[in-house]
Amino acid sequence: MAGTGPEAVAWVETQNDARAVRALSEMDTDAILDCGLEDQSMCCAGSAAAAAAACRAGGALTGTCLAYATSHDKSAGPSFVGYSAVVYSI
C-alpha cells in the first residue's frame, strides 16, 4: 500500500483499482474474486464475477471500461473509493 496523500491516490488508481478493472475487462472471474477477497479492492466481487460469467455464457467476448473515477476526484479526503463502468460485448 502507498500510505496516505497523493501517493495513496496514485497507488489506488494505477495499481489496486487498475487490477480490478483489468480483471473485469478480461472477464477473469478468478481474478475478480481475488480482487475482492485478497486485495479488498472491490465490494460485491461475487456479483461482478457472476455478471462476467453470465455475459460470457451469453456470448460476450470482451469487456470495455467506459469510465473510471474515485470519490477523491469529487471530494478530496483521506478516505475514498473507486468506481468503474465496464460493458461486455460480443
Side-chain angles (χ1 to χ4, degrees), residues 5 7 11 20 22-23 26-27 30 33-39 44 49-50 59 61 65 68-69 72-73 75:
E7 295 83 15
W11 178 81
R22 185 171 47 254
E26 294 173 356
M27 303 173 76
D30 290 335
L33 293 172
D34 286 346
C35 287
L37 296 172
E38 293 175 11
D39 299 343
C44 302
L61 302 174
C65 180
Y68 170 81
H72 190 271
D73 298 331
S75 179

PDB file of all heavy atoms in Angstrom, residues 5 7 11 20 22-23 26-27 30 33-39 44 49-50 59 61 65 68-69 72-73 75:
ATOM      1  N   GLY A   5      -2.109  10.455   1.334  1.00  0.00           N
ATOM      2  CA  GLY A   5      -1.840  11.578   0.451  1.00  0.00           C
ATOM      3  C   GLY A   5      -1.828  11.206  -1.019  1.00  0.00           C
ATOM      4  O   GLY A   5      -2.390  10.184  -1.424  1.00  0.00           O
ATOM      5  N   GLU A   7       0.358   9.938  -2.902  1.00  0.00           N
ATOM      6  CA  GLU A   7       0.927   8.630  -3.216  1.00  0.00           C
ATOM      7  C   GLU A   7      -0.130   7.538  -3.090  1.00  0.00           C
ATOM      8  O   GLU A   7      -0.171   6.602  -3.886  1.00  0.00           O
ATOM      9  CB  GLU A   7       2.113   8.307  -2.301  1.00  0.00           C
ATOM     10  CG  GLU A   7       3.297   9.225  -2.479  1.00  0.00           C
ATOM     11  CD  GLU A   7       3.168  10.528  -1.696  1.00  0.00           C
ATOM     12  OE1 GLU A   7       2.302  10.623  -0.788  1.00  0.00           O
ATOM     13  OE2 GLU A   7       3.915  11.463  -2.001  1.00  0.00           O
ATOM     14  N   TRP A  11      -1.462   5.121  -6.078  1.00  0.00           N
ATOM     15  CA  TRP A  11      -1.389   3.670  -5.935  1.00  0.00           C
ATOM     16  C   TRP A  11      -2.757   3.029  -6.179  1.00  0.00           C
ATOM     17  O   TRP A  11      -2.854   2.037  -6.899  1.00  0.00           O
ATOM     18  CB  TRP A  11      -0.870   3.291  -4.547  1.00  0.00           C
ATOM     19  CG  TRP A  11      -0.822   1.817  -4.338  1.00  0.00           C
ATOM     20  CD1 TRP A  11       0.140   0.959  -4.761  1.00  0.00           C
ATOM     21  CD2 TRP A  11      -1.811   1.030  -3.669  1.00  0.00           C
ATOM     22  NE1 TRP A  11      -0.177  -0.326  -4.395  1.00  0.00           N
ATOM     23  CE2 TRP A  11      -1.373  -0.313  -3.728  1.00  0.00           C
ATOM     24  CE3 TRP A  11      -3.015   1.316  -3.036  1.00  0.00           C
ATOM     25  CZ2 TRP A  11      -2.093  -1.361  -3.166  1.00  0.00           C
ATOM     26  CZ3 TRP A  11      -3.738   0.275  -2.487  1.00  0.00           C
ATOM     27  CH2 TRP A  11      -3.276  -1.041  -2.553  1.00  0.00           C
ATOM     28  N   ALA A  20      -8.320  -4.477 -10.612  1.00  0.00           N
ATOM     29  CA  ALA A  20      -9.741  -4.856 -10.600  1.00  0.00           C
ATOM     30  C   ALA A  20     -10.396  -4.549 -11.946  1.00  0.00           C
ATOM     31  O   ALA A  20     -11.131  -5.387 -12.487  1.00  0.00           O
ATOM     32  CB  ALA A  20     -10.464  -4.124  -9.472  1.00  0.00           C
ATOM     33  N   ARG A  22      -8.940  -4.315 -14.825  1.00  0.00           N
ATOM     34  CA  ARG A  22      -8.377  -5.255 -15.810  1.00  0.00           C
ATOM     35  C   ARG A  22      -9.057  -6.619 -15.697  1.00  0.00           C
ATOM     36  O   ARG A  22      -9.441  -7.215 -16.708  1.00  0.00           O
ATOM     37  CB  ARG A  22      -6.864  -5.381 -15.623  1.00  0.00           C
ATOM     38  CG  ARG A  22      -6.176  -6.231 -16.649  1.00  0.00           C
ATOM     39  CD  ARG A  22      -4.649  -6.167 -16.561  1.00  0.00           C
ATOM     40  NE  ARG A  22      -4.130  -6.327 -15.200  1.00  0.00           N
ATOM     41  CZ  ARG A  22      -3.622  -5.329 -14.462  1.00  0.00           C
ATOM     42  NH1 ARG A  22      -3.568  -4.106 -14.948  1.00  0.00           N
ATOM     43  NH2 ARG A  22      -3.176  -5.561 -13.248  1.00  0.00           N
ATOM     44  N   ALA A  23      -9.248  -7.110 -14.479  1.00  0.00           N
ATOM     45  CA  ALA A  23      -9.920  -8.397 -14.278  1.00  0.00           C
ATOM     46  C   ALA A  23     -11.345  -8.356 -14.817  1.00  0.00           C
ATOM     47  O   ALA A  23     -11.799  -9.296 -15.477  1.00  0.00           O
ATOM     48  CB  ALA A  23      -9.917  -8.764 -12.793  1.00  0.00           C
ATOM     49  N   GLU A  26     -11.252  -8.253 -18.665  1.00  0.00           N
ATOM     50  CA  GLU A  26     -10.837  -9.537 -19.236  1.00  0.00           C
ATOM     51  C   GLU A  26     -11.820 -10.665 -18.914  1.00  0.00           C
ATOM     52  O   GLU A  26     -11.602 -11.798 -19.320  1.00  0.00           O
ATOM     53  CB  GLU A  26      -9.434  -9.886 -18.747  1.00  0.00           C
ATOM     54  CG  GLU A  26      -8.376  -8.931 -19.270  1.00  0.00           C
ATOM     55  CD  GLU A  26      -7.004  -9.161 -18.670  1.00  0.00           C
ATOM     56  OE1 GLU A  26      -6.853 -10.022 -17.770  1.00  0.00           O
ATOM     57  OE2 GLU A  26      -6.064  -8.467 -19.101  1.00  0.00           O
ATOM     58  N   MET A  27     -12.847 -10.338 -18.146  1.00  0.00           N
ATOM     59  CA  MET A  27     -13.861 -11.319 -17.750  1.00  0.00           C
ATOM     60  C   MET A  27     -13.226 -12.501 -17.009  1.00  0.00           C
ATOM     61  O   MET A  27     -13.650 -13.636 -17.124  1.00  0.00           O
ATOM     62  CB  MET A  27     -14.663 -11.790 -18.968  1.00  0.00           C
ATOM     63  CG  MET A  27     -15.334 -10.641 -19.701  1.00  0.00           C
ATOM     64  SD  MET A  27     -16.103 -11.117 -21.241  1.00  0.00           S
ATOM     65  CE  MET A  27     -17.565 -11.926 -20.636  1.00  0.00           C
ATOM     66  N   ASP A  30     -11.872 -15.578 -11.736  1.00  0.00           N
ATOM     67  CA  ASP A  30     -10.987 -15.875 -10.599  1.00  0.00           C
ATOM     68  C   ASP A  30     -10.280 -14.617 -10.114  1.00  0.00           C
ATOM     69  O   ASP A  30     -10.187 -14.372  -8.913  1.00  0.00           O
ATOM     70  CB  ASP A  30      -9.965 -16.949 -10.970  1.00  0.00           C
ATOM     71  CG  ASP A  30     -10.591 -18.326 -11.144  1.00  0.00           C
ATOM     72  OD1 ASP A  30     -11.664 -18.583 -10.552  1.00  0.00           O
ATOM     73  OD2 ASP A  30      -9.996 -19.150 -11.867  1.00  0.00           O
ATOM     74  N   LEU A  33     -12.682 -12.302  -8.236  1.00  0.00           N
ATOM     75  CA  LEU A  33     -12.878 -12.760  -6.856  1.00  0.00           C
ATOM     76  C   LEU A  33     -11.647 -12.483  -6.003  1.00  0.00           C
ATOM     77  O   LEU A  33     -11.770 -12.069  -4.845  1.00  0.00           O
ATOM     78  CB  LEU A  33     -13.238 -14.240  -6.831  1.00  0.00           C
ATOM     79  CG  LEU A  33     -14.597 -14.586  -7.426  1.00  0.00           C
ATOM     80  CD1 LEU A  33     -14.769 -16.099  -7.524  1.00  0.00           C
ATOM     81  CD2 LEU A  33     -15.732 -13.964  -6.622  1.00  0.00           C
ATOM     82  N   ASP A  34     -10.447 -12.683  -6.568  1.00  0.00           N
ATOM     83  CA  ASP A  34      -9.219 -12.383  -5.829  1.00  0.00           C
ATOM     84  C   ASP A  34      -9.146 -10.913  -5.443  1.00  0.00           C
ATOM     85  O   ASP A  34      -8.704 -10.578  -4.344  1.00  0.00           O
ATOM     86  CB  ASP A  34      -7.981 -12.742  -6.660  1.00  0.00           C
ATOM     87  CG  ASP A  34      -7.752 -14.241  -6.749  1.00  0.00           C
ATOM     88  OD1 ASP A  34      -8.367 -14.999  -5.969  1.00  0.00           O
ATOM     89  OD2 ASP A  34      -6.951 -14.652  -7.613  1.00  0.00           O
ATOM     90  N   CYS A  35      -9.562 -10.038  -6.337  1.00  0.00           N
ATOM     91  CA  CYS A  35      -9.543  -8.602  -6.031  1.00  0.00           C
ATOM     92  C   CYS A  35     -10.407  -8.307  -4.811  1.00  0.00           C
ATOM     93  O   CYS A  35     -10.044  -7.492  -3.965  1.00  0.00           O
ATOM     94  CB  CYS A  35     -10.034  -7.783  -7.222  1.00  0.00           C
ATOM     95  SG  CYS A  35      -8.868  -7.682  -8.580  1.00  0.00           S
ATOM     96  N   GLY A  36     -11.543  -8.962  -4.730  1.00  0.00           N
ATOM     97  CA  GLY A  36     -12.422  -8.744  -3.590  1.00  0.00           C
ATOM     98  C   GLY A  36     -11.912  -9.380  -2.323  1.00  0.00           C
ATOM     99  O   GLY A  36     -11.927  -8.769  -1.252  1.00  0.00           O
ATOM    100  N   LEU A  37     -11.435 -10.613  -2.432  1.00  0.00           N
ATOM    101  CA  LEU A  37     -11.036 -11.359  -1.237  1.00  0.00           C
ATOM    102  C   LEU A  37      -9.629 -11.016  -0.756  1.00  0.00           C
ATOM    103  O   LEU A  37      -9.412 -10.839   0.441  1.00  0.00           O
ATOM    104  CB  LEU A  37     -11.142 -12.861  -1.509  1.00  0.00           C
ATOM    105  CG  LEU A  37     -12.548 -13.383  -1.788  1.00  0.00           C
ATOM    106  CD1 LEU A  37     -12.502 -14.838  -2.243  1.00  0.00           C
ATOM    107  CD2 LEU A  37     -13.419 -13.237  -0.556  1.00  0.00           C
ATOM    108  N   GLU A  38      -8.675 -10.942  -1.666  1.00  0.00           N
ATOM    109  CA  GLU A  38      -7.281 -10.708  -1.277  1.00  0.00           C
ATOM    110  C   GLU A  38      -6.961  -9.237  -1.123  1.00  0.00           C
ATOM    111  O   GLU A  38      -6.338  -8.831  -0.151  1.00  0.00           O
ATOM    112  CB  GLU A  38      -6.338 -11.334  -2.303  1.00  0.00           C
ATOM    113  CG  GLU A  38      -6.406 -12.848  -2.335  1.00  0.00           C
ATOM    114  CD  GLU A  38      -5.543 -13.447  -3.438  1.00  0.00           C
ATOM    115  OE1 GLU A  38      -4.733 -12.709  -4.044  1.00  0.00           O
ATOM    116  OE2 GLU A  38      -5.695 -14.651  -3.694  1.00  0.00           O
ATOM    117  N   ASP A  39      -7.366  -8.439  -2.113  1.00  0.00           N
ATOM    118  CA  ASP A  39      -7.000  -7.020  -2.113  1.00  0.00           C
ATOM    119  C   ASP A  39      -8.020  -6.146  -1.414  1.00  0.00           C
ATOM    120  O   ASP A  39      -7.738  -4.997  -1.109  1.00  0.00           O
ATOM    121  CB  ASP A  39      -6.860  -6.504  -3.554  1.00  0.00           C
ATOM    122  CG  ASP A  39      -5.784  -7.217  -4.334  1.00  0.00           C
ATOM    123  OD1 ASP A  39      -4.931  -7.872  -3.720  1.00  0.00           O
ATOM    124  OD2 ASP A  39      -5.797  -7.116  -5.571  1.00  0.00           O
ATOM    125  N   CYS A  44     -18.731  -6.494  -3.484  1.00  0.00           N
ATOM    126  CA  CYS A  44     -19.611  -7.323  -4.317  1.00  0.00           C
ATOM    127  C   CYS A  44     -18.848  -8.008  -5.448  1.00  0.00           C
ATOM    128  O   CYS A  44     -19.339  -8.113  -6.574  1.00  0.00           O
ATOM    129  CB  CYS A  44     -20.775  -6.512  -4.861  1.00  0.00           C
ATOM    130  SG  CYS A  44     -21.766  -5.754  -3.582  1.00  0.00           S
ATOM    131  N   ALA A  49     -18.277 -11.073 -10.567  1.00  0.00           N
ATOM    132  CA  ALA A  49     -17.809 -12.294 -11.224  1.00  0.00           C
ATOM    133  C   ALA A  49     -18.980 -13.039 -11.868  1.00  0.00           C
ATOM    134  O   ALA A  49     -18.862 -13.552 -12.989  1.00  0.00           O
ATOM    135  CB  ALA A  49     -17.084 -13.192 -10.228  1.00  0.00           C
ATOM    136  N   ALA A  50     -20.111 -13.092 -11.177  1.00  0.00           N
ATOM    137  CA  ALA A  50     -21.293 -13.754 -11.740  1.00  0.00           C
ATOM    138  C   ALA A  50     -21.784 -13.032 -12.990  1.00  0.00           C
ATOM    139  O   ALA A  50     -22.168 -13.675 -13.976  1.00  0.00           O
ATOM    140  CB  ALA A  50     -22.408 -13.820 -10.690  1.00  0.00           C
ATOM    141  N   GLY A  59     -22.388 -15.137 -24.708  1.00  0.00           N
ATOM    142  CA  GLY A  59     -21.684 -14.846 -25.945  1.00  0.00           C
ATOM    143  C   GLY A  59     -20.746 -13.655 -25.911  1.00  0.00           C
ATOM    144  O   GLY A  59     -20.086 -13.357 -26.912  1.00  0.00           O
ATOM    145  N   LEU A  61     -17.538 -11.520 -25.541  1.00  0.00           N
ATOM    146  CA  LEU A  61     -16.142 -11.878 -25.764  1.00  0.00           C
ATOM    147  C   LEU A  61     -15.164 -10.966 -25.045  1.00  0.00           C
ATOM    148  O   LEU A  61     -14.031 -11.344 -24.791  1.00  0.00           O
ATOM    149  CB  LEU A  61     -15.832 -11.848 -27.264  1.00  0.00           C
ATOM    150  CG  LEU A  61     -16.686 -12.762 -28.135  1.00  0.00           C
ATOM    151  CD1 LEU A  61     -16.373 -12.533 -29.610  1.00  0.00           C
ATOM    152  CD2 LEU A  61     -16.461 -14.218 -27.749  1.00  0.00           C
ATOM    153  N   CYS A  65     -13.856  -0.887 -20.311  1.00  0.00           N
ATOM    154  CA  CYS A  65     -14.091   0.086 -19.246  1.00  0.00           C
ATOM    155  C   CYS A  65     -14.523   1.402 -19.890  1.00  0.00           C
ATOM    156  O   CYS A  65     -13.770   2.018 -20.633  1.00  0.00           O
ATOM    157  CB  CYS A  65     -12.832   0.287 -18.415  1.00  0.00           C
ATOM    158  SG  CYS A  65     -13.060   1.476 -17.078  1.00  0.00           S
ATOM    159  N   TYR A  68     -13.890   5.466 -15.309  1.00  0.00           N
ATOM    160  CA  TYR A  68     -13.303   5.173 -14.006  1.00  0.00           C
ATOM    161  C   TYR A  68     -13.092   6.498 -13.288  1.00  0.00           C
ATOM    162  O   TYR A  68     -12.642   7.478 -13.891  1.00  0.00           O
ATOM    163  CB  TYR A  68     -11.962   4.437 -14.128  1.00  0.00           C
ATOM    164  CG  TYR A  68     -11.238   4.357 -12.801  1.00  0.00           C
ATOM    165  CD1 TYR A  68     -11.583   3.386 -11.871  1.00  0.00           C
ATOM    166  CD2 TYR A  68     -10.271   5.286 -12.456  1.00  0.00           C
ATOM    167  CE1 TYR A  68     -10.958   3.334 -10.640  1.00  0.00           C
ATOM    168  CE2 TYR A  68      -9.644   5.249 -11.225  1.00  0.00           C
ATOM    169  CZ  TYR A  68      -9.984   4.267 -10.318  1.00  0.00           C
ATOM    170  OH  TYR A  68      -9.382   4.230  -9.088  1.00  0.00           O
ATOM    171  N   ALA A  69     -13.405   6.511 -12.020  1.00  0.00           N
ATOM    172  CA  ALA A  69     -13.175   7.695 -11.191  1.00  0.00           C
ATOM    173  C   ALA A  69     -13.121   7.246  -9.737  1.00  0.00           C
ATOM    174  O   ALA A  69     -13.508   6.129  -9.407  1.00  0.00           O
ATOM    175  CB  ALA A  69     -14.290   8.722 -11.381  1.00  0.00           C
ATOM    176  N   HIS A  72     -12.440  10.496  -4.441  1.00  0.00           N
ATOM    177  CA  HIS A  72     -11.435  11.527  -4.188  1.00  0.00           C
ATOM    178  C   HIS A  72     -11.442  12.585  -5.288  1.00  0.00           C
ATOM    179  O   HIS A  72     -11.168  13.757  -5.038  1.00  0.00           O
ATOM    180  CB  HIS A  72     -10.043  10.892  -4.086  1.00  0.00           C
ATOM    181  CG  HIS A  72      -8.992  11.810  -3.601  1.00  0.00           C
ATOM    182  ND1 HIS A  72      -8.244  12.605  -4.436  1.00  0.00           N
ATOM    183  CD2 HIS A  72      -8.560  12.071  -2.347  1.00  0.00           C
ATOM    184  CE1 HIS A  72      -7.398  13.312  -3.725  1.00  0.00           C
ATOM    185  NE2 HIS A  72      -7.565  13.009  -2.453  1.00  0.00           N
ATOM    186  N   ASP A  73     -11.781  12.170  -6.522  1.00  0.00           N
ATOM    187  CA  ASP A  73     -11.874  13.129  -7.629  1.00  0.00           C
ATOM    188  C   ASP A  73     -12.936  14.187  -7.369  1.00  0.00           C
ATOM    189  O   ASP A  73     -12.797  15.336  -7.792  1.00  0.00           O
ATOM    190  CB  ASP A  73     -12.225  12.422  -8.943  1.00  0.00           C
ATOM    191  CG  ASP A  73     -11.182  11.410  -9.378  1.00  0.00           C
ATOM    192  OD1 ASP A  73      -9.999  11.585  -9.045  1.00  0.00           O
ATOM    193  OD2 ASP A  73     -11.571  10.434 -10.057  1.00  0.00           O
ATOM    194  N   SER A  75     -14.442  14.742  -4.141  1.00  0.00           N
ATOM    195  CA  SER A  75     -14.322  15.327  -2.813  1.00  0.00           C
ATOM    196  C   SER A  75     -13.057  14.782  -2.163  1.00  0.00           C
ATOM    197  O   SER A  75     -13.085  13.720  -1.528  1.00  0.00           O
ATOM    198  CB  SER A  75     -15.559  14.986  -1.973  1.00  0.00           C
ATOM    199  OG  SER A  75     -15.441  15.520  -0.680  1.00  0.00           O
TER     200      SER A  75
END
